[in-house]
Amino acid sequence: MKQRLLVITGPTACGKSALALELAKQLDGEIVCVDSLTVYRGFDIGSAKPTIEQRSAVPHHLLDICDPLQPFTAADFRQAATTAIDDITRRGKRPILAGGTGLYLRTLLRGLTDAPGEDPLLRQTLRQRAEQEGPAALLAELRGVDPATADRLHPNNLPRIIRALEVFRVTGIPLSQLQAAHGFSDRPFEALQFCLERPREQLYRAIEQRVDAMLTEGLVAEVQQLLEAGVPADCKPMQAIGYKEVTAHLCNGLDLEQMAALIAQNTRRFAKRQLTWFRAE
C-alpha cells in the first residue's frame, strides 16, 4: 500500500503552521516542512520558522538542514522528504506535510521532470546579466524560446527564469515541453490535501501583522548578522522576500518605512501567486 500523507498548504500567513501543529497533536503526527527557506540555517525570523517551543511540542523535519551557500533543489527536497516520511511512518506516527512551496509539493507528490542538473557557470552568467540588464531582459529572452513558461512567471521570479533558460540552453528543449511530456503522473503517495484560504482583506491584514512582528522580533539584526558572517547578498536565500528588502535597507540606504512597506507589498503579491498555483494544482 502507498504511504498516506496529510497535506496542509496555502499562501503565506494563512495559518498553515498553526493548523498543522494542532493536527499533529491530535493525530499523533510529525510535521514535514515544505518550505524553500526554512531549510537554511540562520534564516529564522524572516522565514517564520517554527519556534523552539513548537518544535518541542511536535517534531518538525527538514528545518536547518542546509548552509546558505549550499544548493538545495526540488529534487533534494523530494529525497529528504521521502526519507523523513519513511522514518515517521516506520515509527507508527502520521506524516503531516505543511508549507507553501508549491514546486516542492508537486515534486514530492507527482514526480520530477527529466531535466538537466544545474550548470553553475551558466547560472552565474545569467545572474550577472540580470544585475546589468534587469530580470525583465531575461524574461523577454525566455519568452522568445519558451513562451508557455514565461507567461507563468512573474518578472521578479529570477531563480525560475534562470532555471528555464538554463534548461533550454543545455537541452535545446523548452522546460514547458519537458513538463508536458512528463505529465506529473507519478503518484508515490496517497495524499489528502487541503489548501487554506482567507478572504483577501483578512489575508492582507495577517500579512501586515506578520511583517510588523518580524521587524519587532529583530529581522534587521538577523540580516545584519548574516551579512557580517559572510553570507553573500546575492545568494539564493538572501533573495527571498524580507531578506532582500532588508539587505537593500542595510546596504543601499532604503528607508526603513519604505523597506517595511515593500516587504508587505511583495508578500501580498507572492501570496496571490501561491493561490494561483494551488488552484491550478
Side-chain angles (χ1 to χ4, degrees):
M1 293 179 61
K2 293 182 178 180
Q3 290 170 304
R4 306 178 76 179
L5 308 178
L6 176 59
V7 179
I8 307 297
T9 191
T12 186
C14 71
K16 299 183 296 293
S17 298
L19 177 58
L21 189 68
E22 185 59 32
L23 287 170
K25 292 175 181 177
Q26 294 190 26
L27 301 175
D28 194 22
E30 297 185 7
I31 296 172
V32 179
C33 299
V34 187
D35 190 289
S36 60
L37 192 54
T38 58
V39 296
Y40 291 103
R41 286 183 280 271
F43 289 73
D44 302 329
I45 298 173
S47 69
K49 193 174 290 180
T51 65
I52 297 298
E53 291 75 19
Q54 290 169 332
R55 292 187 235 181
S56 298
V58 171
H60 286 66
H61 300 261
L62 306 194
L63 296 175
D64 300 322
I65 60 174
C66 294
D67 290 326
L69 295 181
Q70 181 179 343
F72 191 82
T73 66
D76 295 323
F77 171 80
R78 188 187 197 205
Q79 182 176 359
T82 300
T83 300
I85 291 166
D86 287 344
D87 174 59
I88 295 167
T89 303
R90 179 178 49 80
R91 290 184 285 103
K93 304 293 185 178
R94 184 187 299 270
I96 300 175
L97 276 67
T101 301
L103 180 61
Y104 282 11
L105 196 57
R106 175 195 278 180
T107 299
L108 177 68
L109 300 181
R110 298 171 60 189
L112 273 168
T113 303
D114 186 19
E118 296 184 12
D119 184 325
L121 183 59
L122 176 56
R123 287 196 171 194
Q124 181 61 28
T125 301
L126 291 171
R127 287 193 194 98
Q128 290 174 349
R129 273 196 57 202
E131 292 175 2
Q132 296 168 0
E133 305 173 32
L138 269 64
L139 185 60
E141 179 182 333
L142 179 62
R143 183 163 284 109
V145 297
D146 188 356
T149 298
D151 288 344
R152 295 199 305 264
L153 298 182
H154 189 276
N156 292 335
N157 197 344
L158 187 59
R160 291 189 64 196
I161 294 171
I162 288 176
R163 175 56 177 163
L165 285 172
E166 176 186 47
V167 168
F168 181 78
R169 290 197 184 184
V170 172
T171 66
I173 303 172
L175 177 60
S176 59
Q177 185 175 328
L178 289 174
Q179 291 174 337
H182 178 270
F184 298 103
S185 58
D186 187 14
R187 295 291 191 275
F189 302 102
E190 183 179 344
L192 182 61
Q193 301 183 67
F194 295 90
C195 178
L196 307 188
E197 186 173 4
R198 289 183 175 187
R200 180 174 296 183
E201 289 184 3
Q202 288 186 19
L203 180 63
Y204 285 0
R205 187 160 56 249
I207 287 171
E208 291 170 0
Q209 291 171 349
R210 172 171 288 188
V211 172
D212 289 343
M214 287 177 173
L215 293 174
T216 300
E217 291 167 10
L219 178 59
V220 174
E222 179 173 278
V223 176
Q224 181 72 58
Q225 290 172 1
L226 289 166
L227 292 169
E228 291 176 352
V231 178
D234 61 350
C235 73
K236 181 179 176 181
M238 288 289 272
Q239 292 301 302
I241 295 172
Y243 292 91
K244 177 174 60 177
E245 294 83 358
V246 173
T247 299
H249 164 65
L250 293 172
C251 300
N252 302 323
L254 180 66
D255 179 81
L256 190 63
E257 290 187 4
Q258 291 179 322
M259 177 202 76
L262 192 57
I263 295 173
Q265 180 186 71
N266 289 338
T267 304
R268 289 193 297 269
R269 290 173 175 172
F270 176 59
K272 184 178 179 180
R273 295 195 300 273
Q274 285 177 299
L275 279 171
T276 299
W277 173 284
F278 290 124
R279 286 177 183 138
E281 290 288 291

